[in-house]
Amino acid sequence: MNHDVFWLPASNHCSLHVYQWLPAAPIRAVVLLAHGMAEHAGRYQRLGQALSAAGFALYAHDQRGHGRTAEHGTLGLFASHQGWDSVVNDLASLAQHIGQQHPGAPLFLFGHSMGSYIVQAYLLHHSASLQGAVLSGSNFQPPALYRAACVIARLEAWRQGPLGRSALIDWLSFGSFNKAFKPNRTGFDWLSRDSAEVDAYVADPLCGFRCTNRLWVDLLMGLEHISQPRHLAQIDPNLPILVMGGECDPVSAGKRLKDLVGALRLAGNQRVQLQLYPQARHELLNETNRDEVTAALIAWLEQGLTQGRPARSE
């Protein structure tokens, strides 16, 4: 099934470019997806087709500073001010739109990489209205580490300006990711074992770009906020959460996904599950075992529909 697209007005004079995949049969539930850094929602066509074939609708928007949404802003910039709050509020705007289009339909959130952090921030205030959440290719570090990294990002923003694109930040964040996969064929071998998928990413002008210093400041401030135990405790303890990733993903190295699950459990959530895939790298949905991953994801969503949850109020 092909996708449809539309523009959704959002805060601060921004319009979000949104993709939707709708099943032919009545909708069983809706999945709202937040993509990762330096990519865009159009890359999730295969997932949209698989979900719609199983009776699920998928909505995915190009986040601020990404994809076609960046046509009305700057590629690699959330916003000049309050960028983190803006991207989190965008999820709320799209969730509200979905509620109007599909009244009563259960809603799942799916966040990949950077999108998983934005989803976590959304969960702090809206988890009671959701059927479940999936965190893919995520990470967890102590808040102090994010505070220290934010100091570097602020210094780079002072040195280069907020719209500068720091080689230092790029090296500190992504510089070591390819080391485990030498000899390297591209700069993005760490994304997937599937060379065709890596080549498609490299050839896409809306993928792999260097983000602005301002976006990094926003992101690191957001990460520091969501990683604090007292904030994680705000998430509905009965919300089903699936944390999934590759054991060879350099973003998490498997260990930091286990740390994330541990932090969520310590904060009170006893319905969080961990699914690690041996040998898999960062983009599970573009990996060589993507059919296995997608089937497991759909099975988890179907299981989630059997769980009693409060009716959506949004």
Side-chain angles (χ1 to χ4, degrees):
M1 178 180 295
N2 293 325
H3 63 266
D4 294 318
V5 298
F6 62 92
W7 291 89
L8 181 71
S11 62
N12 301 324
H13 310 289
C14 177
S15 290
L16 304 173
H17 185 251
V18 185
Y19 297 81
Q20 64 176 14
W21 291 265
L22 303 178
I27 291 174
R28 302 171 63 192
V30 180
V31 178
L32 170 53
L33 183 145
H35 65 73
M37 178 184 282
E39 61 152 345
H40 57 89
R43 300 182 69 230
Y44 293 84
Q45 169 86 1
R46 190 161 47 218
L47 177 64
Q49 292 174 334
L51 288 176
S52 61
F56 295 88
L58 175 65
Y59 282 76
H61 61 297
D62 290 335
Q63 303 207 63
R64 293 175 191 240
H66 293 76
R68 292 197 59 194
T69 296
E71 295 174 6
H72 302 280
T74 299
L75 192 68
L77 174 71
F78 288 153
S80 298
H81 303 284
Q82 298 183 317
W84 180 254
D85 289 342
S86 295
V87 292
V88 176
N89 289 337
D90 288 343
L91 279 182
S93 296
L94 190 47
Q96 183 180 38
H97 172 82
I98 290 169
Q100 293 168 349
Q101 297 299 309
H102 312 289
L107 179 64
F108 293 90
L109 257 60
F110 182 107
H112 171 66
S113 197
M114 179 188 78
S116 75
Y117 313 138
I118 296 170
V119 164
Q120 287 177 65
Y122 181 89
L123 294 182
L124 301 186
H125 303 287
H126 302 280
S127 55
S129 65
L130 299 173
Q131 195 71 22
V134 181
L135 306 176
S136 166
S138 196
N139 198 336
F140 183 82
Q141 302 274 16
L145 186 144
Y146 294 126
R147 283 195 291 271
C150 194
V151 170
I152 296 174
R154 289 184 183 278
L155 287 172
E156 287 296 270
W158 172 82
R159 184 178 69 87
Q160 292 183 319
L163 299 183
R165 299 170 191 264
S166 170
L168 174 62
I169 295 176
D170 190 66
W171 179 79
L172 289 172
S173 54
F174 300 112
S176 65
F177 285 179
N178 249 0
K179 288 183 179 178
F181 309 109
K182 291 182 177 181
N184 300 136
R185 193 177 61 85
T186 75
F188 296 97
D189 293 358
W190 57 276
L191 292 176
S192 172
R193 291 168 291 176
D194 190 326
S195 58
E197 292 295 330
V198 174
D199 288 344
Y201 181 93
V202 171
D204 191 329
L206 295 176
C207 287
F209 54 88
R210 189 177 291 175
C211 289
T212 63
N213 297 328
R214 179 70 249 181
L215 183 146
W216 277 108
V217 171
D218 288 333
L219 177 60
L220 289 164
M221 288 176 62
L223 283 165
E224 191 271 337
H225 182 79
I226 65 173
S227 61
Q228 295 183 39
R230 71 178 187 275
H231 293 151
L232 289 174
Q234 296 175 231
I235 299 174
D236 180 356
N238 293 312
L239 179 72
I241 300 176
L242 173 64
V243 176
M244 65 181 201
E247 287 190 337
C248 292
D249 178 3
V251 173
S252 63
K255 176 188 181 303
R256 288 191 286 274
L257 288 184
K258 295 176 183 177
D259 292 342
L260 174 58
V261 169
L264 288 167
R265 287 178 177 160
L266 190 62
N269 190 296
Q270 299 303 313
R271 301 186 68 181
V272 58
Q273 300 176 33
L274 175 63
Q275 178 64 65
L276 288 176
Y277 291 90
Q279 305 303 314
R281 302 180 188 178
H282 187 55
E283 292 192 340
L284 286 179
L285 295 172
N286 293 321
E287 260 290 5
T288 53
N289 63 326
R290 54 183 169 262
D291 290 344
E292 173 195 6
V293 172
T294 302
L297 171 62
I298 292 173
W300 184 86
L301 294 171
E302 290 175 338
Q303 175 64 27
L305 287 179
T306 68
Q307 308 299 312
R309 296 287 296 159
R312 287 190 61 209
S313 58
E314 295 176 313

